[in-house]
Amino acid sequence: MKIVEQIKQPIFVEMELFEKKFRESMSSKVALLNRITHYIVNRKGKQMRPMFVFLTAKMVANNNDVNERTYRGASVIELIHTATLVHDDVVDDSNKRRGFFSINALWKNKIAVLVGDYLLSKGLLLSIDNNDFDLLKIISVAVREMSEGELLQIEKARRLDITEDIYYEIIRQKTATLIAACCSLGACSVVPENGELVEKMRKFGELIGMAFQIKDDLFDYTDDAIGKPTGIDIKEQKMTLPLIYALNNCTTKEKNWVINSVKNHNKDKKRVREVIQFVKDKNGLAYAEQKMIQFQQEALLLIQNFPSSPYKDSLILMVNYVIERKK
């Protein structure tokens, strides 16, 4: 059995019902919109985010019971996540998403931006119409942080002067904040009165998100089949942890050569390969891997005292999958 199927096993029924509710939450009176949202729904990925919502909710709930709020929370997360992906493809001028044409490639930028706005408002209204203001707050904070993280990354990429601390801040906001929102939403949907537990699960999600992003950065230096060509981050002048570590542990002359390569020769395949080799030689990959495992271990510590359950087992599998995945 594939590991993702194994993780999904204890919440199979919930995920089936979620799919149905999620499709309904997207519907509109505009035929064009329905055509596009139908296209989006039929090209879904692994659905890690709703899985985090349901597994967390069932692990922390009395009698492991989820409720309508849990389903709405999962739908809101997925609506808003999808909106950000549609907008990202416009920002990055990307024609493909998970091997399929992106919305902007098929329907042009203007429509893609409007569809993203529509999905965002659908998500917000789903919470407001049901008075889920606590869930709405969690998700709104995540959207704000994701935007800030992206902009911080753009600002820093221009000067390539990222310290390790700033890098963690960027990935915390850009990537980890959404997974943190999934886990705190899951907990908040079933035990809204237990603020301490909701915060604990938020932290758990954040740590997994950090490990997840470092794993993504490492793919840039290996030839694994991720569908992301090796060296793409360097070509896009993105400062990732392996590169930051290497730059902090080399001579000024080497540093100038690397920065010049990333800034001015990032389209030169040979130069990009040399930079990748340089990072490997400086133990950048080993260091990033060690940091990734540290985040993963910290996440596991946070849930070790919960009673044993299939949901807890699946969450542990998920945390391990994040750093062991091949793409």
Side-chain angles (χ1 to χ4, degrees), residues 58-101:
K58 287 183 87 75
M59 179 179 77
V60 307
N62 302 326
N63 308 327
N64 308 118
D65 281 344
V66 296
N67 54 34
E68 280 304 310
R69 270 165 53 88
T70 316
Y71 285 99
R72 289 198 296 269
S75 291
V76 170
I77 275 277
E78 203 60 350
L79 280 164
I80 290 186
H81 173 60
T82 310
T84 58
L85 293 183
V86 172
H87 282 164
D88 276 352
D89 288 339
V90 175
V91 171
D92 298 339
D93 209 4
S94 173
N95 289 326
K96 287 280 176 78
R97 163 73 58 186
R98 298 191 187 111
F100 296 102
F101 283 113

Side-chain angles (χ1 to χ4, degrees), residues 97-315:
R97 163 73 58 186
R98 298 191 187 111
F100 296 102
F101 283 113
S102 58
I103 304 299
N104 47 306
L106 292 172
W107 284 282
K108 301 285 176 278
N109 282 351
K110 186 175 181 178
I111 289 178
V113 171
L114 293 169
V115 168
D117 290 347
Y118 172 76
L119 294 172
L120 196 61
S121 65
K122 272 291 209 187
L124 301 177
L125 283 167
L126 184 59
S127 296
I128 292 167
D129 291 346
N130 294 285
N131 293 328
D132 296 330
F133 296 110
D134 49 352
L135 305 186
L136 183 60
K137 181 166 187 189
I138 291 172
I139 195 71
S140 300
V141 168
V143 173
R144 182 195 71 203
E145 296 221 307
M146 284 155 66
S147 315
E148 283 181 351
E150 287 287 354
L151 287 161
L152 178 60
Q153 183 172 35
I154 290 168
E155 179 195 339
K156 293 295 175 184
R158 291 186 176 148
R159 299 209 302 275
L160 298 183
D161 61 347
I162 296 188
T163 61
E164 203 172 311
D165 284 345
I166 290 175
Y167 165 81
Y168 291 135
E169 187 51 24
I170 289 172
I171 68 167
R172 186 189 68 73
Q173 291 187 317
K174 212 181 72 151
T175 306
T177 193
L178 194 61
I179 299 176
C182 294
C183 298
S184 55
L185 265 183
C188 190
S189 72
V190 289
V191 286
E193 66 294 336
N194 191 338
E196 200 178 307
L197 182 57
V198 172
E199 171 53 29
K200 185 180 196 174
M201 295 319 296
R202 187 201 67 77
K203 187 69 189 158
F204 167 75
E206 183 174 281
L207 290 163
I208 298 170
M210 301 289 280
F212 183 92
Q213 186 56 53
I214 295 173
K215 178 69 175 178
D216 251 15
D217 290 352
L218 284 163
F219 281 131
D220 203 45
Y221 293 90
T222 52
D223 299 311
D224 285 336
I226 186 187
K228 172 173 146 181
T230 308
I232 195 85
D233 286 337
I234 294 171
K235 292 188 185 80
E236 290 175 1
Q237 301 193 23
K238 278 189 188 142
M239 295 292 277
T240 57
L241 189 56
L243 184 58
I244 292 165
Y245 179 80
L247 285 175
N248 288 337
N249 291 279
C250 65
T251 64
T252 312
K253 189 179 167 195
E254 287 171 324
K255 191 172 184 170
N256 292 340
W257 173 81
V258 172
I259 288 179
N260 180 31
S261 304
V262 174
K263 266 194 166 164
N264 306 317
H265 303 281
N266 52 33
K267 302 283 184 283
D268 177 343
K269 284 199 172 94
K270 181 172 170 287
R271 232 2 217 271
V272 169
R273 274 202 305 275
E274 285 169 2
V275 171
I276 290 174
Q277 195 51 52
F278 169 81
V279 171
K280 286 179 180 170
D281 294 343
K282 293 289 179 190
N283 293 327
L285 300 196
Y287 180 77
E289 226 158 80
Q290 176 201 329
K291 281 290 178 192
M292 172 180 78
I293 290 164
Q294 208 175 313
F295 283 121
Q296 177 230 17
Q297 294 300 324
E298 272 181 58
L300 289 174
L301 272 179
L302 283 178
I303 60 168
Q304 70 175 8
N305 293 333
F306 282 97
S308 204
S309 71
Y311 317 109
K312 179 181 172 181
D313 294 344
S314 270
L315 274 175

